[in-house]
């Protein structure tokens, strides 16, 4: 078990901070009307790395890396630059650093900063790689928990929309769309009545693969720059009517929220964990040499409008996944699809074996048939207007944690349409 690395930023040494020196996650922030810029979270502060680069305290490349408000340019420099930046940041922020006097004026309080999208999303793909989630959805939708015939062999996915991805704190309108009750003659148009979340991890691709060229699982593992929490908001009634035979479309396209800090694969390295035992042997191209998952505790919280506190409605762990992000990325590229810097891969909904570990309201309320009760005494099946949903995650070390920062979204009423 790795130990806390101490920083001269006192708040970074607390066992409760998500952002000790061991973490150093990458975000984009602004204060007041200032332009957004790249920053690194440390304790309850943000180090303004754009300013640090301007002052010559950080020199990763001959050309500036942080003159833009996103982290893609660092990713494009490759893993030597990733390692160099991380070790330089540790040097600047470690307890006893000789450069403290130069760095301290570049710290900004997180409490006074707004956070923005930390990277430009090139493309977004979402998977369906949680075994319990797939079994639950089968039981709910098709009357049987049996997995589809391909499920234990292929990391099933669909191509989503980069334009749908927004940073934590962005409000989401309840979508309008087509839905059809099983016994209805015709579909109808209107606001989704079965609005849901999906608790997922998002993997960010930091190195490209060439068009026409497959990659191995180990190469895929090296291509992953970092991770965020990801809420794949889902309109179950719209999805249920549209999804056969080509998969989700409007039921998923109205918003996908990510947490604001990119937690690097390096920061998570000490928390690697194996994928579950294979029920069917995977084809050889899907095997790699490293443990592909990470031991990250995850929570879903729900807070009705006006309630003074949020209720924890689900708690699980990333190790509940059946397929790793590296396996998914390998499978994505295996036929020759080029992968690009800034590609975002959703893990699929993460659900554990018991009801308290479910990662969607569809499962928690068993398709609306079993309402659950919040700490406020209110009950829910699906999301109501004004509800705020939060995803929270952290890998727990000995006296420290690698946290992600909350992934928050509030649901606004549907847009009035047609006007
Ligand atoms: Mn999903």
């Amino acid at each position: 078990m790795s130990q806390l690395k101490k920083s001269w930023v006192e708040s970074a040494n607390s066992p409760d901070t998500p952002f000790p020196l061991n973490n150093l996650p990458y975000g984009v922030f602004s204060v007041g009307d200032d332009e957004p810029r790249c920053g690194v979270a440390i304790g309850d502060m943000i180090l303004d790395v754009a300013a640090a680069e301007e002052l010559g305290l950080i020199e990763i490349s001959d050309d500036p890396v942080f003159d833009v408000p996103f982290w893609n340019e660092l990713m494009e420099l490759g893993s030597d630059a990733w390692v160099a930046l991380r070790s330089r940041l540790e040097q600047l922020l470690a307890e006893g650093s000789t450069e403290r006097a130069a760095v301290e004026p570049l710290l900004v309080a997180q409490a006074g900063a707004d956070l923005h999208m930390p990277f430009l999303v090139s493309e977004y793909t979402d998977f369906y790689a949680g075994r319990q989630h797939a079994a639950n959805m089968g039981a709910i939708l098709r009357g049987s928990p049996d997995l589809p015939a391909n499920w234990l062999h292929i990391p099933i996915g669909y191509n989503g929309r980069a334009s749908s991805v927004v940073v934590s704190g962005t409000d989401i309108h309840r979508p309008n769309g087509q839905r059809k009750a099983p016994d209805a003659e015709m579909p109808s148009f209107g606001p989704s009545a079965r609005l849901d979340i999906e608790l997922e991890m998002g993997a960010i691709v930091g190195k490209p693969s060439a068009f026409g060229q497959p990659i191995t699982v180990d190469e895929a593992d090296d291509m992953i720059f970092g991770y965020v929490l990801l809420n794949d908001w889902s309109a179950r009634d719209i999805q249920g009517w549209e999804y056969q035979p080509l998969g989700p479309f409007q039921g998923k396209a109205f918003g996908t929220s990510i947490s604001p800090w990119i937690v690097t694969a390096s920061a998570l390295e000490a928390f690697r964990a194996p994928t579950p035992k294979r029920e069917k042997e995977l084809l050889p191209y899907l095997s790699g040499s490293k443990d592909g998952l990470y031991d990250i505790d995850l929570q879903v919280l729900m807070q009705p409008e006006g309630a003074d506190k949020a209720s924890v409605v689900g708690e699980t762990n990333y190790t509940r996944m059946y397929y790793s992000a590296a396996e998914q990325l390998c499978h994505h590229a295996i036929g020759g699809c080029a992968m690009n810097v800034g590609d975002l891969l959703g893990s699929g909904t993460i659900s554990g074996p018991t009801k308290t570990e479910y990662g969607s309201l569809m499962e928690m309320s068993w398709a609306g048939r079993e309402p659950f009760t919040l700490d406020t005494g209110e009950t829910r099946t699906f999301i109501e207007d004004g509800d705020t949903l939060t995803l929270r995650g952290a890998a727990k070390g000995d006296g420290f944690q690698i946290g992600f920062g909350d992934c928050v979204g509030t649901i606004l009423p549907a847009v009035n349409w047609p006007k």
Side-chain angles (χ1 to χ4, degrees):
M1 185 68 72
S2 55
Q3 302 292 315
L4 172 74
K5 295 177 181 176
K6 282 200 152 186
S7 171
W8 54 260
V9 180
E10 207 39 59
S11 60
N13 300 327
S14 160
D16 301 322
T17 181
F19 309 125
L21 187 60
N22 307 57
N23 193 347
L24 298 175
Y26 301 152
V28 170
F29 74 100
S30 63
V31 178
D33 293 331
D34 292 353
E35 290 293 311
R37 47 212 282 133
C38 288
V40 176
I42 179 78
D44 56 15
M45 307 298 281
I46 301 169
L47 172 62
D48 183 338
V49 291
E53 187 181 58
E54 282 161 25
L55 292 170
L57 284 165
I58 292 174
E59 267 187 288
I60 297 303
S61 159
D62 294 340
D63 298 317
V65 179
F66 301 117
D67 56 344
V68 290
F70 44 82
W71 284 81
N72 300 57
E73 291 201 358
L74 175 75
M75 296 185 217
E76 279 164 12
L77 291 174
S79 42
D80 288 352
W82 306 355
V83 172
L85 176 64
R86 198 170 163 77
S87 66
R88 181 61 180 145
L89 289 168
E90 283 195 19
Q91 198 176 33
L92 292 173
L93 293 165
E95 190 176 60
S97 169
T98 55
E99 292 162 291
R100 173 174 177 171
V103 175
E104 202 153 13
L106 308 182
L107 293 179
V108 174
Q110 278 170 35
D114 294 316
L115 298 175
H116 306 270
M117 276 294 290
F119 68 106
L120 303 176
V121 180
S122 298
E123 299 194 60
Y124 165 51
T125 305
D126 192 37
F127 287 86
Y128 187 58
R131 196 196 188 296
Q132 186 69 46
H133 175 70
N136 286 346
M137 294 303 267
I140 291 167
L141 298 174
R142 294 180 290 278
S144 164
D146 292 349
L147 299 169
N150 54 7
W151 201 93
L152 291 170
H153 304 280
I154 294 175
I156 296 174
Y158 67 94
N159 288 302
R161 291 282 300 178
S163 64
S164 74
V165 182
V166 295
V167 73
S168 171
T170 307
D171 294 338
I172 305 283
H173 278 285
R174 179 181 299 274
N176 290 305
Q178 277 198 35
R179 41 303 123 93
K180 188 181 105 42
D183 53 353
E185 184 88 3
M186 287 278 291
S188 61
F189 178 84
S192 169
R194 297 184 138 214
L195 189 54
D196 198 355
I197 55 142
E198 291 191 338
L199 167 63
E200 304 193 23
M201 296 292 300
I204 299 160
V205 176
K207 288 181 201 173
S209 71
F211 178 74
Q213 293 299 312
I215 56 173
T216 66
V217 172
D218 283 353
E219 286 167 341
D221 193 275
D222 286 341
M223 286 166 61
I224 297 171
F225 180 72
Y227 291 82
V228 288
L229 305 174
L230 185 148
N231 182 353
D232 177 25
W233 301 94
S234 299
R236 299 299 180 193
D237 41 3
I238 297 171
Q239 184 185 354
W241 168 230
E242 74 182 357
Y243 85 108
Q244 288 175 331
L246 281 184
F249 190 46
Q250 293 306 301
K252 302 279 194 174
F254 59 94
T256 300
S257 301
I258 62 168
S259 54
W261 298 102
I262 303 171
V263 174
T264 62
S266 305
L268 291 168
E269 185 62 32
F271 300 93
R272 277 190 184 268
T275 46
K277 184 171 160 24
R278 300 301 166 186
E279 293 170 46
K280 294 269 171 63
E281 197 176 339
L282 293 177
L283 294 175
Y285 81 94
L286 279 173
S287 72
S289 65
K290 291 181 179 171
D291 288 341
L293 297 177
Y294 299 94
D295 181 1
I296 300 169
D297 287 339
L298 299 165
Q299 281 187 327
V300 180
L301 298 96
M302 191 173 202
Q303 184 165 9
E305 191 171 16
D308 56 6
K309 77 183 280 276
S311 305
V312 175
V313 294
E315 286 188 282
T316 187
N317 189 286
Y318 183 42
T319 53
R320 296 300 192 185
M321 283 282 97
Y322 192 81
Y323 293 101
S324 69
E327 288 165 345
Q328 292 171 332
L329 179 53
C330 164
H331 181 70
H332 207 319
I334 207 67
C337 176
M339 302 306 294
N340 293 308
V341 171
D343 280 348
L344 175 65
L345 309 185
S347 61
T349 309
I350 306 165
S351 291
T354 61
K355 195 168 178 173
T356 57
E357 279 196 68
Y358 292 169
S360 72
L361 308 189
M362 182 76 162
E363 295 163 89
M364 293 174 201
S365 73
W366 214 251
R369 297 198 279 273
E370 299 169 16
F372 55 90
T373 306
L374 305 177
D375 296 346
T376 57
E378 290 170 82
T379 59
R380 284 289 183 280
T381 50
F382 293 98
I383 303 171
E384 299 191 5
D385 289 348
D387 286 350
T388 296
L389 276 295
T390 299
L391 309 184
R392 193 167 283 167
K396 308 275 173 63
D398 182 10
F400 74 98
Q401 48 183 316
I402 304 291
F404 281 77
D406 289 353
C407 178
V408 184
T410 298
I411 293 299
L412 301 179
V415 172
N416 186 22
W417 195 266
K419 287 178 184 169

